[in-house]
Amino acid sequence: MKKTLLPIIAMTVLTACETQTLAEYRPVVDTSRINSAKYERDLSECRNVAYAAEAEYKDRQAQEMGANMMAGILVGAIAGAAIGNGGNDIAAGAAYGAGVGAAGTDTELAYGGPRRIIDRCMSERGYAILNDIGRG
């Protein structure tokens, strides 16, 4: 039973690390030479571009996670049946496979990508981004 919970717990912990929302994200720029009203307007427009991308990324991530979990369930159930002696081993293998499939889903685009989009958008508008791209 511990083996089936480990991937699920790991995935939960990793997704909980995302603490800064896209609405709170602000790239680091040198403010000494910028018009603050224009900066805020540009930032708002760039956030809107990032929100659209984030929604698309999350849809794609959900589809990928569903496919990965189904593949994991099938492979885990087959492995559990081959190794074990009964239904409990099949169920444990399927649960473990589902967890591995979910944990194997790439979440970087859904959580890190939109911040990079904001940075690139602001850079294209003439702002010198001082932070690592996407890191604020």
Side-chain angles (χ1 to χ4, degrees):
M1 187 66 167
K2 290 180 184 178
K3 288 182 180 180
T4 58
L5 291 178
L6 185 60
I8 295 169
I9 291 170
M11 187 179 75
T12 303
V13 169
L14 289 174
T15 56
C17 292
E18 182 64 33
T19 57
Q20 185 182 50
T21 67
L22 197 54
E24 297 168 327
Y25 180 74
R26 298 180 72 80
V28 177
V29 298
D30 182 4
T31 58
S32 67
R33 298 182 195 159
I34 64 170
N35 175 323
S36 61
K38 182 180 181 321
Y39 172 81
E40 292 301 327
R41 188 173 50 253
D42 288 341
L43 181 57
S44 177
E45 291 171 2
C46 289
R47 274 194 184 125
N48 287 336
V49 172
Y51 284 136
E54 182 179 49
E56 182 182 323
Y57 291 157
K58 285 185 178 184
D59 287 345
R60 197 172 339 145
Q61 176 189 350
Q63 291 173 357
E64 181 183 322
M65 184 178 292
N68 288 350
M69 287 179 70
M70 286 306 297
I73 287 169
L74 292 174
V75 171
I78 291 169
I83 295 171
N85 292 327
N88 287 341
D89 293 325
I90 294 171
Y96 181 75
V100 169
T105 302
D106 181 22
T107 59
E108 172 59 21
L109 283 179
Y111 296 103
R115 291 190 306 263
R116 289 192 301 261
I117 290 171
I118 291 173
D119 287 351
R120 287 186 193 122
C121 179
M122 294 295 283
S123 179
E124 288 294 316
R125 291 171 185 237
Y127 299 95
I129 305 300
L130 304 176
N131 55 271
D132 289 338
I133 299 298
R135 303 266 183 215

